[in-house]
Amino acid sequence: MELGSYQDQSQATFSLTDEDHTLANSLRFTLNQDPRVTFCGYSIPHPSDARVNIRVQTTGDQASEVLKDSCQDLMLICQHVRSTFDQAVVEFKNKKGLDAMNIEP
Amino acid sequence: MEEQKTPKIPVWDLPDVPKGKLPPHLELQRTRVLCTSDAPTHTENIRYSGAYASMGVDNSLRLGHFRDNFRVEVITLTEDDMEFDMIGIDASLANAFRRILIAELPTMAIEKVLIANNTSVIQDEVLAHRLGLVPLKVDPRLFEYMSENDVPNEKNTIVFKLHSRCERGSSRIKVLSNELQWLPRGSEFTLSTEKPAVDPTSRPRTYTSFNCSQDSLPEFSNNPIGPKHDDIMIAKLGPGQEIELEAHAVKGMGKTHAKWSPVATAWYRMLPEVVLLQEIEGEKAEELVKKCPVKVFDIEDIGKGRKRATVARPRSCTLCRECIRGDDWDKHVALRRVKDHFIFTIESTGALHPEVLFTEAVKILEDKCERVITELS
Ligand code: SF4
């Protein structure tokens, strides 16, 4: 759900249900690093509501587009983390296999 | 107070700040937490894209830059535990992975317990709670969530039976988790609404409606489902006491109840960095080595009988700050933490291997992003 005004699309508050610090803090990280963003922050209005509000203000671009791009960035980061991690695990297992067999790598 | 005398220099005589590079003191504040004797300082992560714009430094997100710098190094990896270094990532992401590992990765755990008989000293509800906390060795990805209106079937429920009895005249016995017996065909208790069967060939309706036996499914035929550990104490029975029950396990998440958390715990710490600001020699070096309870420092011979302190094992530093206490020790030793180097530890409860857990956690964060993208489009 998005709350903003029709006149000025460069600022909006996005209210995400069933999300918490996990996503909001990560998104704040990517949003903050986007040069189009002048301000961003998030709040959880009440701890027993599963809801988080993310505020995005930009230098002129549409706030929802900027948020979407940030999500995209975060996904790319995650994919890279996953592939790097998997590779490191495979390497570690291979090395351990070699060590167990007492073979010089 | 003594007045500090700084020589007056006109601003235009000050040297220029080099463009495109942060001066060393700012670089230090950006990348390190400084642990001083009273409190840690510069704990924040400066992430605003224009934070250093005046110095011509671009602080915006550059994925290429991230890809070049991000590294993972596995330190230990066993069936249940894993420790690895994650280098070049922000705390917000490391923390997101940790939170997902603890609270948002599903596992199977006992949720409903049908107690037919319990004459032990342990009350029904306490017994049920204890059963809930027993970790099960089963891949949760093979099961579906059971929502409120679902009937328990072979896709969303695992049934265990426990029947234990201590005979009169014998001594007290323990009921261990290995007595939980998997019922691949589902519940054996008939529904209380069911009339006594007139026709002995028809199977009476039970508390679950399985369409097939779970052990006929390829995933489980060679891999029976059971508790991860065989020696978890569930109850003790005195002579003449008996427990007869059925336990139904379903899929759930750690944020509903900790019994569904796939990790005993998952945590990270930032890499400690211990720096000697000056050469420390002789007796002072011996003193420093003695100060540290986890033996971070060593003594090195530099010839002619002179001894010098070195930092040998910074990784084991607990930041107890003992080495900067008193006198002017903080002028000699600096304690820091590297802001983007995380020593991540995962302790699995046994449902999945720790490396699988982490990959799944990252996938969940991706799914969350995808959800937001689809909702915005
Ligand atoms: S902070 Fe404590 S553990 Fe770390 S080097 Fe100093 S004395 Fe040792």
Side-chain angles (χ1 to χ4, degrees):
Chain A
M1 187 179 51
E2 181 182 349
L3 310 170
S5 75
Y6 287 108
Q7 281 90 46
D8 187 0
Q9 303 216 320
S10 73
Q11 33 193 287
T13 302
F14 302 88
S15 188
L16 310 177
T17 48
D18 292 326
E19 292 297 352
D20 55 5
H21 298 282
T22 308
L23 182 68
N25 199 14
S26 314
L27 275 181
R28 188 181 62 176
F29 160 68
T30 45
L31 274 170
N32 245 330
Q33 294 202 329
D34 191 325
R36 293 172 293 174
V37 174
T38 50
F39 173 84
C40 75
Y42 76 93
S43 79
I44 292 179
H46 195 280
S48 27
D49 276 352
R51 164 183 304 283
V52 49
N53 293 340
I54 301 181
R55 176 74 180 166
V56 183
Q57 289 172 208
T58 72
T59 51
D61 298 74
Q62 203 180 330
S64 60
E65 286 303 313
V66 174
L67 182 61
K68 230 192 300 184
D69 288 349
S70 285
C71 288
Q72 200 70 44
D73 283 346
L74 188 54
M75 268 175 87
L76 289 174
I77 293 179
C78 284
Q79 277 159 14
H80 183 68
V81 169
R82 215 171 67 204
S83 60
T84 315
F85 178 82
D86 286 346
Q87 205 184 332
V89 168
V90 169
E91 269 165 26
F92 181 80
K93 281 184 177 164
N94 286 343
K95 200 169 127 267
K96 215 166 71 171
L98 288 178
D99 287 351
M101 288 186 288
N102 242 333
I103 301 171
E104 287 296 311
Chain B
M1 224 177 85
E2 196 183 317
E3 203 181 313
Q4 286 217 334
K5 283 238 171 73
T6 37
K8 282 221 169 97
I9 310 174
V11 256
W12 45 85
D13 283 354
L14 281 174
D16 267 347
V17 178
K19 278 272 175 193
K21 203 167 128 265
L22 284 185
H25 70 286
L26 282 186
E27 185 64 20
L28 185 72
Q29 291 175 5
R30 192 178 70 85
T31 57
R32 302 285 188 270
V33 176
L34 307 182
C35 301
T36 50
S37 46
D38 51 349
T41 54
H42 304 297
T43 51
E44 73 287 349
N45 278 323
I46 297 166
R47 287 302 171 200
Y48 172 51
S49 58
Y52 303 114
S54 62
M55 272 163 288
V57 175
D58 180 15
N59 198 38
S60 62
L61 181 67
R62 285 146 295 163
L63 281 174
H65 188 254
F66 170 76
R67 289 209 178 96
D68 293 342
N69 286 313
F70 182 69
R71 272 187 303 136
V72 172
E73 278 164 28
V74 183
I75 310 290
T76 55
L77 173 61
T78 62
E79 194 184 330
D80 293 334
D81 302 329
M82 171 172 206
E83 185 179 314
F84 61 95
D85 282 21
M86 205 159 47
I87 306 154
I89 197 165
D90 190 64
S92 60
L93 290 176
N95 192 38
F97 298 145
R98 184 193 63 86
R99 287 172 62 94
I100 294 173
L101 277 168
I102 292 172
E104 296 187 45
L105 274 180
T107 57
M108 303 295 287
I110 291 169
E111 165 72 352
K112 281 206 180 91
V113 178
L114 313 177
I115 296 181
N117 188 11
N118 174 18
T119 52
S120 73
V121 288
I122 182 162
Q123 303 92 321
D124 291 1
E125 65 275 21
V126 181
L127 183 62
H129 179 244
R130 290 183 70 81
L131 285 166
L133 294 171
V134 173
L136 303 176
K137 194 174 87 242
V138 53
D139 188 341
R141 292 171 292 185
L142 303 171
F143 287 87
E144 292 165 1
Y145 286 102
M146 187 162 84
S147 48
E148 219 168 301
N149 303 319
D150 281 352
V151 274
N153 62 26
E154 76 281 358
K155 291 248 170 52
N156 58 24
T157 306
I158 306 170
V159 183
F160 295 97
K161 175 171 111 171
L162 187 132
H163 192 175
S164 188
R165 202 179 139 78
C166 183
E167 298 303 331
R168 271 182 200 287
S170 67
S171 59
R172 292 203 294 155
I173 62 162
K174 294 171 183 172
V175 182
L176 299 181
S177 54
N178 63 0
E179 290 190 46
L180 279 172
Q181 194 197 339
W182 178 37
L183 298 178
R185 318 179 134 272
S187 173
E188 289 175 348
F189 289 169
T190 48
L191 280 175
S192 50
T193 51
E194 202 72 345
K195 305 258 168 4
V198 201
D199 176 9
T201 53
S202 74
R203 270 179 62 206
R205 289 202 10 240
T206 62
Y207 281 88
T208 58
S209 34
F210 279 25
N211 294 320
C212 66
S213 171
Q214 277 169 341
D215 56 3
S216 69
L217 301 171
E219 299 92 354
F220 305 121
S221 49
N222 302 316
N223 185 18
I225 302 172
K228 164 76 179 167
H229 301 283
D230 278 339
D231 54 353
I232 302 171
M233 173 106 67
I234 292 170
K236 277 189 175 182
L237 295 181
Q241 295 178 348
E242 182 175 359
I243 291 177
E244 184 182 2
L245 57 82
E246 239 178 46
H248 294 203
V250 298
K251 189 169 171 173
M253 277 199 290
K255 62 180 167 191
T256 318
H257 190 291
K259 69 185 173 187
W260 278 300
S261 184
V263 291
T265 187
W267 78 93
Y268 58 79
R269 58 194 187 104
M270 284 184 276
L271 180 77
E273 189 183 59
V274 183
V275 181
L276 300 179
L277 300 173
Q278 305 170 8
E279 295 272 299
I280 301 175
E281 291 182 17
E283 253 171 49
K284 204 137 178 160
E286 308 258 353
E287 195 187 334
L288 181 64
V289 172
K290 267 202 223 99
K291 264 172 169 278
C292 178
V294 292
K295 309 257 170 304
V296 165
F297 303 101
D298 256 354
I299 287 197
E300 166 185 78
D301 248 318
I302 48 170
K304 301 197 196 98
R306 279 170 50 214
K307 289 188 167 72
R308 183 170 71 185
T310 54
V311 183
R313 287 165 290 272
R315 213 180 146 92
S316 50
C317 171
T318 57
L319 282 188
C320 65
R321 294 181 232 176
E322 194 60 30
C323 56
I324 52 169
R325 204 159 65 103
D327 297 344
D328 56 350
W329 274 105
D330 52 354
K331 303 241 167 28
H332 294 88
V333 185
L335 299 171
R336 300 172 189 158
R337 293 214 144 188
V338 184
K339 276 184 196 171
D340 66 348
H341 186 140
F342 297 95
I343 303 173
F344 213 104
T345 315
I346 301 173
E347 281 179 14
S348 163
T349 54
L352 292 172
H353 291 311
E355 73 272 20
V356 183
L357 286 175
F358 187 79
T359 328
E360 292 292 313
V362 182
K363 271 191 211 156
I364 287 185
L365 190 58
E366 276 171 50
D367 293 345
K368 282 171 181 286
C369 297
E370 211 172 278
R371 205 196 113 201
V372 176
I373 292 178
T374 42
E375 256 174 51
L376 285 176
S377 329

